[in-house]
Amino acid sequence: MSLYWGSASPFVRKVMVCAHELGLAGRIDIRDSAANPIQRDTRIQAVNPLAKIPAAETSDGTALYDSRVICEYLDHLAAEEQETAVSRLFPPAGPARWLALRRQALADGLLDAALLIRYEKLLRPDELRWTEWTDKQGEKVSDALDAMLADISGPGTVDIGSISSACALGWLDFRFPDLDWRNGRQALADWHAAFEDRSSMLATRPRA
């Protein structure tokens, strides 16, 4: 499988963490890209019409996007090749699955809000910036962090929910080092510190 990739993307990191956890990382052909909301990369667009990463293409030419689809595809592929119906990262239908998917949705939503803040400050001209917009996106980030604190994955839980949460928190450290999201959320900080020590997380740390 080929993957359009960005070294700083938290959504790409989520895919790569899943790949490492499933033993599939070495089989992914990384393709460099320059995803940008204003200057769209036509190389990515050939696979994903939205020109957003991650975008993947399987050996038979099937296009896959976004991170949620690619991660589930990798999990299915690993189970299929190991000739087992047991999913490692996506629990079967039932309470555990809905919990994992909900945690993934919360983490992705946090990132969506944080990315809007970053784009507002990085790409929009000074005279067009909207402070109230940025503040309201910041409220979403804070509320998402509080929800994560109230719903921390159990020790040793490695599924799409915990991976998504860890990647989101890691990206906040990377792009918003002054946010101090750990303040008042010590249990969440401790959980993240432990999860960041996993080899899959160490191998995929974002870089500029």
Side-chain angles (χ1 to χ4, degrees):
M1 186 179 81
S2 60
L3 178 72
Y4 284 97
W5 179 87
S7 62
S9 167
F11 296 108
V12 170
R13 188 186 191 191
K14 180 169 68 168
V15 168
M16 292 306 300
V17 169
C18 288
H20 278 279
E21 292 287 346
L22 296 167
L24 299 174
R27 293 167 52 181
I28 296 179
D29 176 28
I30 299 298
R31 295 183 180 177
D32 287 330
S33 61
N36 186 289
I38 296 176
Q39 299 174 340
R40 301 170 73 209
D41 190 333
T42 56
R43 295 172 298 177
I44 309 171
Q45 197 170 358
V47 176
N48 178 359
L50 302 174
K52 296 172 67 175
I53 56 173
E57 188 174 18
T58 66
S59 57
D60 66 3
T62 300
L64 299 172
Y65 49 85
D66 56 4
S67 64
R68 292 165 291 189
V69 176
I70 300 171
C71 289
E72 191 157 6
Y73 169 81
L74 290 173
D75 194 59
H76 172 77
L77 180 63
E80 188 176 63
E81 292 190 349
Q82 295 166 13
E83 297 184 349
T84 174
V86 177
S87 170
R88 290 180 55 184
L89 303 180
F90 287 80
R97 181 177 181 83
W98 315 139
L99 178 59
L101 293 181
R102 187 186 75 200
R103 286 171 173 162
Q104 176 182 215
L106 179 65
D108 287 356
L110 182 157
L111 288 172
D112 287 340
L115 278 165
L116 288 175
I117 295 173
R118 177 167 169 77
Y119 290 154
E120 185 76 11
K121 294 180 177 180
L122 185 68
L123 300 177
R124 192 180 296 276
D126 290 348
E127 66 275 12
L128 297 178
R129 289 179 185 170
W130 188 5
T131 302
E132 185 179 8
W133 169 266
T134 304
D135 291 344
K136 291 303 179 182
Q137 300 307 318
E139 288 180 11
K140 292 180 184 180
V141 172
S142 180
D143 289 346
L145 288 167
D146 289 341
M148 284 184 178
L149 174 63
D151 185 31
I152 301 172
S153 300
T157 299
V158 182
D159 60 18
I160 193 58
S162 59
I163 290 171
S164 300
S165 299
C167 289
L169 296 174
W171 192 77
L172 289 182
D173 285 338
F174 178 64
R175 289 302 192 197
F176 295 87
D178 297 328
L179 179 61
D180 192 21
W181 64 263
R182 293 171 177 80
N183 185 28
R185 304 184 183 97
Q186 190 58 50
L188 183 61
D190 292 343
W191 174 85
H192 180 247
F195 203 92
E196 274 281 351
D197 277 340
R198 296 188 65 82
S199 59
S200 60
M201 296 293 289
L202 295 172
T204 57
R205 282 184 171 169
R207 62 180 187 272

